[in-house]
Amino acid sequence: MLQLSGQDASFVYLETPHTPMHIGSVGIYDPSTAPGGFVRFKDILAFIASRLGSARSFRQRLVRVPFDLDHPYWIEDPEFDIEFHVRHIALPRPGDWRQLCIQVARLHARPMDLSKPLWEFTIVEGLDNIAGLPPGCFALVSKVHHAAIDGMSGVEMSAAVHDLDATMTPPKAQEEWRPEHMPNVADLLVRSYFNSLTQPMRIMETIGRSLPGMAKLTAQVGKGDVSIRNARPAPKTRFNGKVSAHRVFDAVPLPLADVRAIKDAVPGATVNDVILAIVGGGLRSYLASKDDLPKETLTAMAPISVRGEGEKAALGNLVSAMVVGLGTQIEDPLERLRFVHDETVNSKALTNAVGARTLTDYSQLIPSGLAGLAARLYTRVGAANAHAPVFNCVVTNVPGSRVPLYFCGAKMVAMYGTGPVFDGMGLINPIYSYGDTIAISFTSDRNMMPDPENYAAALRASFEALKAATLDKAPAAATKAVAKKATQPAAPKTVVAAKSRAKAPIKPTPAAKKPAAAGRKPAPQQKEAK
């Protein structure tokens, strides 16, 4: 029986009927690579059952302490039933992208059963009319509670059900799984008593670790090396109030090569900086269309994984965060990218001064009963509408596989992400990269964003504007540099390469481009997987 950390448990306390705290993904697969050219639902059940031992999250459930006197515990669920966790539905005709987005949003809006292992897979068939995809594809919509998993450990869980080829090689022999008995109330109360005795020592230890970092931060601020501007309150927007029980979802795939080329326009910039600048441009355009664009920059919370090499397969959530300005007050896309880069450098310096791991440890010091009561009270009184937000949205980047992945023999052709929204923060932008594509997905409250297709269009336009301001202008800038300094012949070659990449057509399709073979008939998946 393993106890949750304070940070893991906080996601349990934040859970309400209107704010389910799970993350997820939407993988789309082409079954033509599977044996026989199709995949049946019973094959999927058997495939997942054979991989359950590869990730602890699959068969562990929560046990809460009476009155929340202590943080909950994980046990091996004695009532585990795989058919409860793997479901099967199909889209009605025509089976297009908008129908899939609506169905994903509905699935994501439903809270999970906290008395079961905290994950669900839903197979969605009937994806027959999505541009860029062959008919007969299916989607795997996953939901995993944030208390059990973060973005990086989510990659490990995803690896358990994916292969590098279509042969479906059986996993290595693993230890026999043994369920645990449900703990009795007396045992839980005794454990909470002894944990409370050691709490003062943990508090002193965490404070002691943070003091050197605070001294270092004070010195850096005094020298002007670091600014505390990131601590400013965020402006109020439509996304920063009390959320409803309804969600919207959409995604915008972008060529990873172009994003990487754009970052070279600003020395030291990263792919993450480019994505943040694109999101900033998209939010600027979308909010301006609603007459809701603040004069100050919007800010985003960007999670930082503090998971060490030896903790990748561990259960739970090991993340800290930094707050970054998105440059929504800046019209010029290149200037916005420079602004975002400066913001991320400064925010990382603030986080590193104290230590991301130390900041995470502070969450474990919050009394469990008080945390649960505070979360419920905050939601009940609508406190999110009464104060300035700490940040306006979340942008979380999860690197994916660069090589093709296969699920039950079917090749993955696209991957998108979903995430939780809650009172005070009604927009999250999960970023997933897969192969040569990086996708900006988003989940929002339906009342706050009734037109997700317009925000998706704004993100595409923001990318195109940033691309035009960097890649398309690079040759002229390089020509001037060469004229001034003839000792740099490599610069024009680099620029020409960037220009050739910029000429590649960008099709605003919501899925990875994969042309269907001529004369190919839809795989008989819908008939077989009843």
Side-chain angles (χ1 to χ4, degrees):
M1 190 165 61
L2 178 68
Q3 189 179 32
L4 273 75
S5 70
Q7 187 179 25
D8 297 341
S10 66
F11 291 105
V12 178
Y13 305 140
L14 287 170
E15 180 98 10
T16 72
H18 285 188
T19 59
M21 298 303 296
H22 50 255
I23 61 176
S25 63
V26 182
I28 299 180
Y29 302 86
D30 178 7
S32 66
T33 60
F38 62 91
V39 179
R40 297 173 298 183
F41 182 63
K42 69 177 184 179
D43 297 329
I44 291 176
L45 280 175
F47 178 79
I48 295 175
S50 69
R51 307 299 176 97
L52 293 176
S54 301
R56 294 176 58 187
S57 301
F58 281 129
R59 288 184 290 210
Q60 290 201 328
R61 58 157 292 184
L62 284 177
V63 176
R64 297 183 73 162
V65 179
F67 310 110
D68 283 334
L69 294 175
D70 201 358
H71 297 316
Y73 289 84
W74 293 111
I75 68 164
E76 300 291 336
D77 185 15
E79 300 177 346
F80 177 77
D81 178 11
I82 190 173
E83 294 194 22
F84 175 85
H85 297 274
V86 185
R87 291 93 181 269
H88 177 214
I89 60 176
L91 296 180
R93 292 181 179 180
D96 58 25
W97 173 252
R98 181 52 46 200
Q99 287 177 295
L100 177 62
C101 289
I102 293 172
Q103 190 59 253
V104 170
R106 287 173 179 167
L107 292 170
H108 189 71
R110 299 172 187 168
M112 303 181 70
D113 187 343
L114 298 184
S115 68
K116 307 284 186 180
L118 300 181
W119 65 278
E120 295 176 7
F121 288 172
T122 302
I123 306 299
V124 183
E125 295 187 285
L127 281 60
D128 296 325
N129 194 33
I130 297 179
L133 295 181
C137 284
F138 67 91
L140 171 61
V141 181
S142 70
K143 292 166 55 176
V144 184
H145 201 281
H146 222 323
I149 205 166
D150 58 41
M152 293 305 295
S153 58
V155 172
E156 297 298 317
M157 188 176 181
S158 176
V161 294
H162 286 98
D163 298 312
L164 298 179
D165 54 49
T167 58
M168 293 186 289
T169 305
K172 297 179 180 179
Q174 300 175 0
E175 295 182 7
E176 180 182 357
W177 177 70
R178 295 182 179 179
E180 297 180 71
H181 295 291
M182 290 291 294
N184 57 53
V185 173
D187 183 29
L188 293 173
L189 292 177
V190 169
R191 285 173 177 262
S192 66
Y193 172 74
F194 283 105
N195 283 340
S196 66
L197 295 179
T198 60
Q199 185 75 344
M201 297 178 61
R202 292 198 293 269
I203 294 174
M204 295 304 297
E205 180 185 359
T206 303
I207 294 176
R209 289 202 309 271
S210 65
L211 288 177
M214 294 301 296
K216 178 182 176 182
L217 176 60
T218 302
Q220 289 179 335
V221 171
K223 294 178 181 179
D225 296 335
V226 175
S227 169
I228 59 173
R229 63 181 183 270
N230 299 73
R232 60 183 178 269
K236 192 87 171 183
T237 73
R238 62 173 43 231
F239 300 119
N240 305 118
K242 187 174 181 179
V243 299
S244 72
H246 311 294
R247 302 291 178 262
V248 292
F249 163 82
D250 209 329
V252 178
L254 304 172
L256 183 57
D258 282 348
V259 173
R260 286 179 167 171
I262 289 171
K263 75 177 178 62
D264 295 335
V266 175
T270 65
V271 167
N272 200 50
D273 294 339
V274 176
I275 294 298
L276 288 168
I278 293 172
V279 171
L283 282 171
R284 173 185 170 85
S285 176
Y286 181 79
L287 291 176
S289 70
K290 307 289 185 183
D291 293 325
D292 192 29
L293 180 64
K295 294 181 180 180
E296 306 86 1
T297 179
L298 271 65
T299 60
M301 189 271 278
I304 304 171
S305 176
V306 295
R307 189 176 294 273
E309 285 298 319
E311 300 172 310
K312 287 186 177 181
L315 199 67
N317 193 298
L318 295 173
V319 293
S320 184
M322 64 178 185
V323 177
V324 181
L326 294 174
T328 52
Q329 81 283 17
I330 301 173
E331 183 177 3
D332 183 81
L334 183 55
E335 288 302 315
R336 187 185 310 117
L337 176 57
R338 293 193 180 103
F339 175 86
V340 167
H341 173 59
D342 291 341
E343 287 280 300
T344 56
V345 170
N346 186 75
S347 189
K348 287 177 183 177
L350 287 170
T351 302
N352 291 337
V354 178
R357 171 71 76 165
T358 302
L359 292 174
T360 301
D361 290 342
Y362 272 103
S363 65
Q364 301 187 33
L365 307 180
I366 303 174
S368 51
L370 179 61
L373 177 62
R376 292 189 293 271
L377 184 62
Y378 183 86
T379 297
R380 190 168 300 168
V381 302
N385 296 322
H387 64 83
V390 179
F391 49 85
N392 298 109
C393 66
V394 172
V395 181
T396 175
N397 195 344
V398 180
S401 174
R402 297 299 308 280
V403 299
L405 297 178
Y406 296 81
F407 170 74
C408 204
K411 183 180 180 180
M412 179 192 290
V413 294
M415 172 64 82
Y416 308 108
T418 59
V421 299
F422 46 87
D423 290 342
M425 199 291 295
L427 174 63
I428 182 170
N429 301 267
I431 315 300
Y432 271 76
S433 58
Y434 173 65
D436 58 0
T437 300
I438 184 167
I440 304 177
S441 311
F442 59 88
T443 305
S444 185
D445 176 77
R446 195 168 71 196
N447 292 344
M448 296 175 176
M449 185 184 286
D451 51 352
E453 65 279 1
N454 288 344
Y455 179 52
L459 290 172
R460 293 189 188 95
S462 176
F463 165 72
E464 294 293 348
L466 185 56
K467 179 184 171 186
T470 53
L471 303 190
D472 294 346
K473 291 183 179 180
T479 301
K480 293 179 181 179
V482 172
K484 291 181 178 180
K485 190 173 182 180
T487 58
Q488 298 179 345
K493 183 182 291 186
T494 303
V495 173
V496 170
K499 183 176 180 181
S500 66
R501 285 193 296 267
K503 290 180 180 179
I506 308 300
K507 295 188 181 295
T509 58
K513 179 70 178 175
K514 180 175 179 178
R520 177 177 176 179
K521 296 181 179 180
Q525 181 186 350
Q526 287 81 1
K527 295 181 179 180
E528 292 292 334
K530 299 296 183 184

